Amino acid sequence: MDPVVLGRWQFGITTVYHFLFVPITIAMAMMVAVLQTIWYRTGHARYLQLTKFFGKLLLINFALGVVTGIVQEFQFGMNWSEYSRFVGDVFGAPLALEALLAFFLESTFLGLWIFGWHRLPRLLHLMTIYAVAIGTLLSAVFILAANSWMQNPVGTTFNNGRAELAGVEGFIDVLLNPVFLVTFPHVITAAYMVAGGLMAAICGWWLMKLRREGTDRDPEAVAAHRFGARMGAWVLIVASVLTIVSGDLQGRIMTEVQPMKMAAAEGLFDTETNAGMRLFVIGDLDATEEIFAIKIPGLLTLISGEETVQGVNDLREQYATEGFLRNDGSRTQIQEEYAAELAANYPGVDPAPNVPVSFWTFRLMIGLGLAGTALGVVLLWLIRKDKLPPEGRFWDKVWTPAMFALPLLPLFAISFGWIFTEMGRQPWIVAGVMPTAAGVSTSVSGMSVLISMIVYTLVYGVLAVIEVGLFLRYVKKGLPDDTDVVLDDHTDQDSPMSFAY
């Protein structure tokens, strides 16, 4: 039982599970704020119903996200204490700001939003949900800045046997890291794909249900869900276009700072000029030679922005003679300062990640994301011009599965994207500086990690059942009645806050 392998599995399981909630929270908070703004401007009850309906789902998601996210930071001290000791001065700064600034902002104002429906003036109450949405974005800023530093460690020096920020300028460099500047918009727009797909799917499912029951029974509910389905579908489609654009920029930066990751993602074993993008590759068992490939000529060169793209084998040879280098042959400050220590303390490191995992997670990310977008386009077309979902046995059978798939496709796409991002960085926990095997806690046995991993997985499984059960329960319950959403005039300033759900 290797503690490194088990530690990576535990962190991977808990991280991917936690991230299932993150994109929904990030994007849904702003979408709920927009719905409440529309209600504030128009006064129409249907928009308030949608606000409270999706606000309730946001709260369920936020609660589970907080519970599962707490475990992440504990793992840095438990399973990865050597990593924390080495990079704590750098990595800890954005994490501290995320907890002290972003999390307290979103959690405090979320509480005011929940309890302030019948207590705060309408405009002030509206501002609280925008504060929550801003807090989620700030949280993403600091978390992604920390992760981007692991991908491209800038603004850092090697001093007293540890990585240290190079003063205030170093912290600014961390926040202006080129990897972060392209990763942040890519992750945020992908999050809006998930939340847009979720809103469109729920409202689309309800439109079919209302069509079967007879639209004359509740025309206001039909109008509300039609608006929600259109809004969600448009958010999904626009966000997908922005995700593609930011993903292209991210691919170019990835080629610059981690050429090995791009080579592995494309199954490119040998350096190519005017390189083609491989749609399908069969390689040997050692992942060193291409046996068969289907590729689009020149597309990889276009995506990477490099006429000549380096291959896995050539990068391995380069590392053996020159150490870790970026695509232009340079290193960051700490990569340069730590190069001698790295060669002396960790000889024989294979700089290539798991090529099949990198190759297929990259394609699953793209394929599932495009499939979710296509489904959103179909939904938008089918309900155009105030239409309801089409009738017929075929549509009755496929509509519900399609609505389930609509948010899950982009959600799984973004999850595979993160798996690719982290697996493609291997064998480094900090690219070009610290091998993953060097970051594990030396005093923690493999059995301890295995037991905790099993416990966490079982607990998370229980939480998953609770989350899905609550989500489906309130989705099936539908929009709140008009009597449940009418607000008071706030004339009694001494009245206590009440829980609005």
Side-chain angles (χ1 to χ4, degrees), residues 23 46 67 92 121 155 169 178 191 254-255 257 262 302 331 401 469 478 497:
R46 74 169 68 120
V67 171
E169 296 82 2
M254 180 175 69
T255 303
V257 302
M262 175 59 84
L302 180 64
R331 298 187 181 99
M497 287 188 176

Side-chain angles (χ1 to χ4, degrees), residues 15-332:
T15 300
V16 171
Y17 186 93
H18 169 64
F19 195 73
L20 296 176
F21 307 102
V22 171
I24 299 175
T25 298
I26 290 174
M28 188 61 75
M30 185 61 74
M31 294 175 69
V32 169
V34 170
L35 286 171
Q36 188 170 341
T37 301
I38 297 173
W39 166 75
Y40 176 80
R41 295 294 300 272
T42 65
H44 204 296
R46 74 169 68 120
Y47 302 116
L48 183 55
Q49 288 177 300
L50 287 169
T51 299
K52 302 202 74 169
F53 178 61
F54 285 103
K56 187 177 297 183
L57 301 181
L58 170 66
L59 295 179
I60 295 171
N61 187 81
F62 182 85
L64 269 293
V66 170
V67 171
T68 56
I70 291 174
V71 175
Q72 301 304 106
E73 296 189 12
F74 280 108
Q75 288 185 85
F76 291 122
M78 293 187 297
N79 294 346
W80 303 97
S81 59
E82 285 301 307
Y83 168 76
S84 299
R85 180 198 64 79
F86 186 77
V87 306
D89 289 349
V90 182
F91 194 77
L95 290 187
L97 286 173
E98 190 272 336
L100 294 174
L101 180 61
F103 178 72
F104 276 100
L105 178 67
E106 57 187 299
S107 58
T108 299
F109 282 95
L110 186 62
L112 290 171
W113 187 72
I114 295 170
F115 293 100
W117 278 100
H118 301 280
R119 188 70 175 85
L120 297 175
R122 291 186 179 185
L123 180 58
L124 184 59
H125 184 262
L126 174 61
M127 293 300 101
T128 62
I129 190 61
Y130 274 106
V132 173
I134 293 170
T136 62
L137 290 176
L138 283 176
S139 182
V141 165
F142 296 123
I143 294 297
L144 292 174
N147 182 269
S148 297
W149 179 84
M150 296 167 69
Q151 311 287 340
N152 183 41
V154 296
T156 312
T157 64
F158 178 60
N159 189 33
N160 297 321
R162 300 171 60 185
E164 295 181 359
L165 279 173
V168 177
E169 296 82 2
F171 184 68
I172 294 174
D173 288 341
V174 171
L175 295 180
L176 296 179
N177 189 340
V179 174
F180 167 71
L181 294 180
V182 294
T183 297
F184 178 75
H186 189 62
V187 171
I188 298 303
T189 54
Y192 275 92
M193 288 180 63
V194 177
L198 180 64
M199 180 177 288
I202 292 172
C203 291
W205 181 83
W206 264 101
L207 284 176
M208 177 63 83
K209 186 174 187 294
L210 290 167
R211 182 186 65 73
R212 291 168 179 166
E213 294 175 351
T215 56
D216 294 337
R217 293 180 56 186
D218 198 347
E220 276 300 310
V222 172
H225 284 300
R226 181 182 287 117
F227 178 86
R230 286 175 172 172
M231 176 180 172
W234 274 115
V235 168
L236 167 63
I237 294 167
V238 173
S240 68
V241 173
L242 297 175
T243 301
I244 292 170
V245 173
S246 59
D248 177 67
L249 296 174
Q250 191 177 35
R252 294 170 186 268
I253 295 296
M254 180 175 69
T255 303
E256 292 179 15
V257 302
Q258 292 178 302
M260 181 65 85
K261 181 186 286 189
M262 175 59 84
E266 295 301 335
L268 183 64
F269 297 104
D270 299 308
T271 300
E272 277 188 21
T273 300
N274 194 28
M277 181 176 181
R278 285 142 176 84
L279 302 178
F280 179 80
V281 172
I282 297 176
D284 62 1
L285 294 177
D286 297 329
T288 59
E289 184 180 357
E290 179 182 296
I291 298 175
F292 173 78
I294 300 173
K295 57 185 177 181
I296 303 175
L299 185 57
L300 179 55
T301 286
L302 180 64
I303 293 174
S304 65
E306 299 288 336
E307 183 177 354
T308 300
V309 183
Q310 299 184 79
V312 172
N313 295 330
D314 300 284
L315 288 167
R316 274 195 176 110
E317 294 177 6
Q318 180 189 75
Y319 180 81
T321 57
E322 303 178 62
F324 183 92
L325 294 175
R326 298 195 289 186
N327 196 52
D328 61 359
S330 67
R331 298 187 181 99
T332 65

